[in-house]
Amino acid sequence: MKSKKTKIPQFYDVFDEEIGIIRRNYEYLLKEAKQMGFIEIETSSIELRERYINATGVHFSKIFEVRRPKQGNQFALQADLAMSMSRFVADLPTVVPALKLIQLGKMYRDRISTLPGYRREFKQILLGEWGVESLYSDAEIIFLAYKMLKNIPNSKISYIEISNANVFNSISEGLAERIRFNGIEVLDNEKISEQDKEIIKKEFTKEQISFSELELLENKLHNMKVREELQKAKEIKIFLTDFFKVSDEIFFSLKNLEGTGHYSGLHYRIYLDIAGDNYLIGDGGRIDTLCNKFNSSKNIPAVCMGIGVQVLAQLISDIPKKKITILVDSKLIKEKWSIIDRIREELIDYSISVIPKSPSNKKKFFKSEFYQDNTFILLEEDSFEVRSNDKEVKEYIVYKIKDIVSKS
């Protein structure tokens, strides 16, 4: 079992299968990240409300609040790990020359109820590097996220997408956001050559642009600032393919202008193919202005990559350890303890739960969703019985324990 809805819309109680998938993937990534110098952190779940809201483009209605009625204090629940980690860096008494951080954190955010799998309380992994301008760092965190997602069973990487809102912002400040909300026609009002306008507008219609196409596009453009921003995407791609040996598809996109209020230019996405459908699981980019929003004296370049591990855990299946439940009357536990011990030794590959209830209660267990995948061993005073939905499993367990029980 993965999770069950609570009485509060889009809030869930989460169980062992989903928790296990999240924990296993985080532990894998944490080990890889520590090998590359990352430090694990857990930021506070509670932030100063006004400070937090003023630092984000997210509307205050999307933020969950916490109050202390007696003191009259009002706080915000953590809604974005990149923000909370940037707040931590901004509040350090001295400027750290470079800092690599990784976190598995819980967030609270109002989200669209019609999107399947979206929750208002959810976990995310965030990799971030602060104090670094080099695009090597961008490639490094993309690679780490890619490596973790490459390790997910029964799935494959669809592609990595690189985009850069500063292709537009280099023409005029805030242009990317104006195009995002008003359309590419806004470009007609800008002071660039008509040839450049037509080239950019044509490429904007494409969902994906290969890097060989991007090379040709760059050579056709006259605007040097635009060309410089395209070159940044090419540099990251070269780091990924030539140095980190990423073998999956990498595309560029002019069309992706999501996150213009959060990312300061470059934006990265990793899509995963699960059962033939593409899912956006990795999402990150340059956050060079976030620290400054918390502390105006701190201008700290940074880059981050978030991994939607909670959504991922809902999409993939775990391979749980096979479960056995032994039902034995509480009055017989002491008498049957040596048998139970020997069953555990013989069935070492199984998870074995002893329930001190009479086998006469078996139907209640058979019907319970918490025991739907269990095999049952019913220990009576002078006999035993094995119940399982899997005939082969039943025959195997009977074979393994019949002598143990009969000789007791």
Side-chain angles (χ1 to χ4, degrees), residues 21 54 72 75-76 98 101 112 125 133 201 205 247 267 298 320 367 394:
I21 292 169
N54 290 338
F75 304 95
L101 300 174
I112 300 169
I125 297 171
E133 294 180 358
K201 286 165 70 175
T205 63
S247 57
H267 186 181
K298 300 281 182 73
K367 292 178 180 179
K394 176 180 177 179

Side-chain angles (χ1 to χ4, degrees), residues 138-180:
D138 300 54
E140 183 175 61
I141 65 163
I142 294 170
F143 169 70
L144 280 169
Y146 164 85
K147 192 172 183 181
M148 190 208 92
L149 295 175
K150 189 85 170 170
N151 190 53
I152 303 296
N154 302 317
S155 68
K156 61 182 180 180
I157 301 291
S158 297
Y159 58 91
I160 296 170
E161 179 187 273
I162 300 174
S163 56
N164 187 356
N166 285 343
V167 167
F168 297 106
N169 293 334
S170 66
I171 298 170
S172 70
E173 187 176 347
L175 177 59
E177 190 159 74
R178 295 198 296 276
I179 291 174
R180 176 185 174 185

Side-chain angles (χ1 to χ4, degrees), residues 322 350 375 388-399:
K322 293 179 180 178
Y350 287 78
T375 292
S388 177
N389 293 326
D390 189 320
K391 185 179 178 182
E392 289 185 7
V393 170
K394 176 180 177 179
E395 290 174 350
Y396 174 76
I397 291 174
V398 170
Y399 167 75

Side-chain angles (χ1 to χ4, degrees), residues 248-292:
D248 288 282
E249 295 276 16
I250 304 174
F251 295 106
F252 182 76
S253 172
L254 273 176
K255 199 168 187 177
N256 174 25
L257 295 176
E258 296 292 324
T260 50
H262 185 73
Y263 299 117
S264 55
L266 286 155
H267 186 181
Y268 318 114
R269 286 175 162 180
I270 305 176
Y271 288 85
L272 199 63
D273 182 321
I274 303 172
D277 291 321
N278 283 334
Y279 296 94
L280 173 59
I281 303 296
D283 196 336
R286 275 274 146 188
I287 48 170
D288 295 327
T289 61
L290 266 189
C291 286
N292 183 257

Side-chain angles (χ1 to χ4, degrees), residues 95-297:
V95 176
V96 180
L99 192 58
K100 299 180 179 183
L101 300 174
I102 180 173
Q103 174 169 200
L104 171 64
K106 185 175 279 190
M107 295 187 290
Y108 301 84
R109 191 187 304 166
D110 204 5
R111 310 185 86 179
I112 300 169
S113 60
T114 54
L115 292 175
Y118 275 56
R119 298 178 180 175
R120 289 172 172 156
E121 177 187 41
F122 59 99
K123 288 181 179 176
Q124 184 191 65
I125 297 171
L126 193 115
L127 293 154
E129 299 193 25
W130 283 262
V132 286
E133 294 180 358
S134 171
L135 297 178
Y136 165 82
S137 296
D138 300 54
E140 183 175 61
I141 65 163
I142 294 170
F143 169 70
L144 280 169
Y146 164 85
K147 192 172 183 181
M148 190 208 92
L149 295 175
K150 189 85 170 170
N151 190 53
I152 303 296
N154 302 317
S155 68
K156 61 182 180 180
I157 301 291
S158 297
Y159 58 91
I160 296 170
E161 179 187 273
I162 300 174
S163 56
N164 187 356
N166 285 343
V167 167
F168 297 106
N169 293 334
S170 66
I171 298 170
S172 70
E173 187 176 347
L175 177 59
E177 190 159 74
R178 295 198 296 276
I179 291 174
R180 176 185 174 185
F181 292 110
N182 300 298
I184 191 62
E185 293 75 20
V186 172
L187 189 63
D188 291 333
N189 303 320
E190 301 300 325
K191 295 179 180 179
I192 57 170
S193 72
E194 290 302 317
Q195 180 180 326
D196 282 2
K197 286 180 184 178
E198 290 308 311
I199 292 170
I200 292 171
K201 286 165 70 175
K202 181 181 177 182
E203 297 301 316
F204 186 83
T205 63
K206 299 178 182 178
E207 294 294 333
Q208 299 172 340
I209 302 170
S210 71
F211 274 82
S212 58
E213 289 178 294
L214 191 66
E215 186 85 37
L216 295 173
L217 168 63
E218 183 192 342
N219 292 333
K220 291 177 183 177
L221 291 166
H222 294 104
N223 190 298
M224 292 307 297
K225 290 182 179 179
V226 171
R227 292 179 65 167
E228 285 172 11
E229 295 301 332
L230 294 177
Q231 286 166 8
K232 291 177 183 178
K234 284 168 54 184
E235 186 176 347
I236 295 164
K237 190 264 182 186
I238 290 168
F239 271 125
L240 289 172
T241 55
D242 296 7
F243 295 88
F244 288 111
K245 305 302 180 185
V246 170
S247 57
D248 288 282
E249 295 276 16
I250 304 174
F251 295 106
F252 182 76
S253 172
L254 273 176
K255 199 168 187 177
N256 174 25
L257 295 176
E258 296 292 324
T260 50
H262 185 73
Y263 299 117
S264 55
L266 286 155
H267 186 181
Y268 318 114
R269 286 175 162 180
I270 305 176
Y271 288 85
L272 199 63
D273 182 321
I274 303 172
D277 291 321
N278 283 334
Y279 296 94
L280 173 59
I281 303 296
D283 196 336
R286 275 274 146 188
I287 48 170
D288 295 327
T289 61
L290 266 189
C291 286
N292 183 257
K293 289 177 180 178
F294 286 103
N295 186 335
S296 60
S297 68

